[in-house]
Structure formats: structure tokens, C-alpha cells
Amino acid sequence: MAKTVQERINHYLEDTIGAERNFEKALRTFGKTGEQTTVQSLLSSASAKAKTQHERLEALLKTRGGSPSESKTILAEMLAFTPLSAQLGQGAAEKNTQHLMVTFAAAAAEMAMYESLATAAAEGRALDVVSLARTLQGEERDDYAQVWDILPQSAAASFQAELEKGKSAEEVLARYLEDAIAAEKSFETQLLGFSEESEGSTVQALFRQHAEETKQQYTQLTQRLEELGGSTSTIKSFLAHMFNLAPKIAQIGHDKFERQTQDLMMAYAVENAEVAMYESLAQAARLAGDGRTHELARQIQQQEKQTAEKVWAQIAPAARRAIQAVPEAA
Ligand SMILES: [Fe+2]
Ligand SMILES: [Fe+2]
């Protein structure tokens, strides 16, 4: 494990480079899939941007005496893109919408990653790193905003495309509800795991409360699904697949403050994935004229937004504590 502050920050840079490389590859694939050309071109340009980002990070790391490692890093492991492509939904248009949800979550993860990097670097007086981290964070925020702008339209078009294939609105909505229920169940497990790791802190209470709320969410969703004549399936939803929900092994060697920062980054990504998932559900329910499902989707989406904000507020303090815990910085 990195010993000095300089080495730690270089290690974070390596992590970030690994993540950007991963995103570049995933986004390139997303840009070639499906039928919604607006989505494809946005994701292709995000891929090109990710490439210039890891190149800039690599150049900076070099000036700091480090070199990019070949080993897979925690942040790259965090969003498991590869198995996702195999899990994706039925329609070509739905694939595009799902890729937007994934990219929205990935952009959120990267905003969180740069928040942590910039904070740690400021604490370690590495002003060159602070400056690049803030620049790249701004670029991620742009991606995040652009994805959000086209998501409602993409979701509505996907739903419409399913209806045109002869499926009933109830049938498609029921499938979306099943997806959401499966995702919520795996998020509950994950939140409980994070809360165990954050013994006795504000962060622990935050994770525990949201695990409780998550349980209420899937209970309400299940009730709505049953009202629509569906029943919960055992199929894992694509969103549950998107996150590598057992990152513990990769985290060995990180100290407790670093683990907490990583858990928070991951939680921020998950909450944003949920915000996007409920946007898609709300759009479909609105088109179907299903007021009850629409209302439920908006209500849960609001809870996810609020949780995302609370999680965000904890990232910088956690990243700062990780650097303060390094003996020479004390
Ligand atoms: Fe949730
Ligand atoms: Fe959530």
C-alpha cells in the first residue's frame, strides 16, 4: 500500500486512469448499439472525451514520478460494464435507453471520483492534481447534464417501440416494475453491507436509513405490479448487473477511510442510476396513462435524489480523512 501522501495521490491517479480507460471502452460499444442515433452519437463523443481524459491524467502522473499500473483498479471494477451487454433488454431502442441510464450513473461515479481526488490532492497540497481533477469533473458534469436532457425522450421512444411491436402497455410496464424491484432488492443488500463497514459514523446512519427506505420502495412497487396482474420474477435486472456488488476483494489493502470513500462513490452512482431508472418508468407510465405508477415512480425518484445529495455531502470529508490518516500528513 502507498505510504507517503505523494504515493497515495499517485495511486488515486492510477485508479482514475483505470476507470477512464474502462469508460472509454464501454462507451465506444454503447455508441455502436441500438437504433437511437442521438443516443449513439452522444455516447460516442463521451467515449472520445474519456480517451483524452486518461491521456491528460497519464501525462500528469508522469510528471509526478508515477506510471500507470496494468492491474485493474477499484474504480474500474466498480462499474461492471462487460457482463451488462449480454443482459440487456429486448428491444433495440430499450438498449439505448439502458445505455443512457448506465452512462448517467457512470458520469455520476466520475464526478464523485474527481471530488475525492481533488479533495485528497488539496489536503496533500498537490495543486497540479487539484486543477486537473476540477477540470475533468466539469467535463463529467457536462456529460451528466447532456444524458439527462435526452433521457426522457429516449425512454418514451423505447416504450412506444415496444407497443408498436404489439405488446400491451401493461405488459411492458410490468416488466419495468420487475426490473426496478430486482434492482432495489440488490441495492438494499449493498446498502446494508456499506453500513456494516461504516461502524459508528454519520455515514453508517445514512446507509442504514436508506436501506430501510429501499425496502419500502420495493414493497410499494411489488404491490403496484400485483395490481397490474404481474408477479415478481427471479430474474436479476440489468441495473443490478451493472454494479459489481461484491467489490470487497478488490478493496483489500485499502484502509478504512479509503473504503468509506469508495463506498460513498459507489452509492452516489447507484442513487443516480435509480434516478434515471425511475425517469424511464415515469415516462412509460405517463404515456400509458397509468397515473398511479407514474406517481409512484416520481415519489421514489425524489427519495433517490435526496439520498444522492446526502451521499455527495459525505464524499469530500471522507476523502480528507483518508489523507489526514497518513502519518506524515498528521
Ligand atoms: Fe431505491
Ligand atoms: Fe436508492
Side-chain angles (χ1 to χ4, degrees):
M1 187 162 71
K3 292 276 185 280
T4 67
V5 169
Q6 163 97 1
E7 282 165 352
R8 281 225 185 194
I9 291 167
N10 282 359
H11 182 74
Y12 294 166
L13 279 169
E14 285 175 36
D15 254 8
T16 311
I17 291 164
E20 290 293 1
R21 280 191 181 150
N22 199 42
F23 292 139
E24 181 203 352
K25 242 186 286 168
L27 289 165
R28 201 191 303 135
T29 314
F30 291 175
K32 291 177 194 149
T33 322
E35 62 182 31
Q36 296 179 346
T37 51
T38 319
V39 175
Q40 289 172 325
S41 68
L42 176 60
L43 302 186
S44 293
S45 75
S47 169
K49 206 191 276 178
K51 183 171 189 289
T52 77
Q53 291 174 332
H54 69 70
E55 285 167 355
R56 281 176 278 169
L57 290 160
E58 281 150 11
L60 176 61
L61 180 60
K62 220 168 155 191
T63 68
R64 294 176 46 84
S67 58
S69 73
E70 288 304 309
S71 65
K72 264 208 157 184
T73 62
I74 174 68
L75 285 166
E77 296 275 347
M78 199 167 92
L79 290 159
F81 282 121
T82 332
L84 177 70
S85 349
Q87 298 293 335
L88 286 172
Q90 288 79 351
E94 285 181 323
K95 282 196 174 110
N96 290 124
T97 304
Q98 291 176 343
H99 286 156
L100 278 181
M101 293 185 213
V102 170
T103 305
F104 188 69
E110 293 174 279
M111 281 154 56
M113 169 174 99
Y114 289 118
E115 183 67 15
S116 159
L117 180 62
T119 306
E123 193 66 29
R125 296 178 195 85
L127 297 184
D128 47 353
V129 179
V130 177
S131 161
L132 183 60
R134 290 297 179 203
T135 300
L136 299 184
Q137 188 181 45
E139 295 175 9
E140 302 304 346
R141 203 170 279 131
D142 285 346
D143 281 351
Y144 180 85
Q146 285 179 46
V147 167
W148 184 250
D149 281 347
I150 65 169
L151 179 63
Q153 224 178 344
S154 167
S158 293
F159 183 69
Q160 204 60 48
E162 290 301 294
L163 299 188
E164 278 159 21
K165 281 194 253 168
K167 291 184 187 153
S168 74
E170 291 73 25
E171 180 183 353
V172 182
L173 277 181
R175 181 156 55 76
Y176 292 176
L177 283 167
E178 283 175 38
D179 250 6
I181 293 162
E184 292 294 359
K185 284 185 177 167
S186 68
F187 296 153
E188 182 197 18
T189 309
Q190 186 191 36
L191 285 161
L192 290 171
F194 286 170
S195 124
E196 267 169 42
E197 269 192 347
S198 313
E199 204 59 51
S201 62
T202 324
V203 176
Q204 178 174 42
L206 169 57
F207 286 143
R208 200 187 281 147
Q209 275 163 20
H210 193 53
E212 222 15 78
E213 194 168 49
T214 297
K215 192 180 208 161
Q216 289 163 17
Q217 292 173 347
Y218 69 68
T219 305
Q220 286 176 293
L221 292 163
T222 305
Q223 195 187 338
R224 184 65 196 137
L225 176 63
E226 284 164 359
E227 285 162 9
L228 289 172
S231 61
T232 49
S233 72
T234 51
I235 299 163
K236 256 196 142 188
S237 86
F238 84 95
L239 272 181
H241 273 286
M242 176 182 142
F243 295 101
N244 189 351
L245 294 179
K248 302 279 180 279
I249 296 164
Q251 291 190 337
I252 290 170
H254 287 269
D255 70 30
K256 120 178 161 188
F257 297 117
E258 288 182 326
R259 272 207 306 278
Q260 188 168 88
T261 312
Q262 288 164 356
D263 288 350
L264 286 162
M265 287 190 240
M266 179 109 162
Y268 188 68
V270 166
E271 295 312 318
N272 276 284
E274 295 186 275
V275 168
M277 174 172 81
Y278 289 110
E279 184 61 33
S280 167
L281 178 62
Q283 291 298 333
R286 183 184 55 82
L287 277 175
D290 180 343
R292 179 68 198 107
T293 304
H294 182 262
E295 189 191 331
L296 182 58
R298 289 295 182 211
Q299 177 205 319
I300 298 177
Q301 185 183 45
Q302 201 49 39
Q303 294 171 345
E304 313 299 6
K305 276 186 189 166
Q306 282 165 359
T307 305
E309 280 167 25
K310 287 182 199 162
V311 167
W312 180 266
Q314 297 297 329
I315 294 173
R320 206 170 291 128
R321 280 194 295 272
I323 292 297
Q324 285 164 351
V326 180
E328 68 168 26

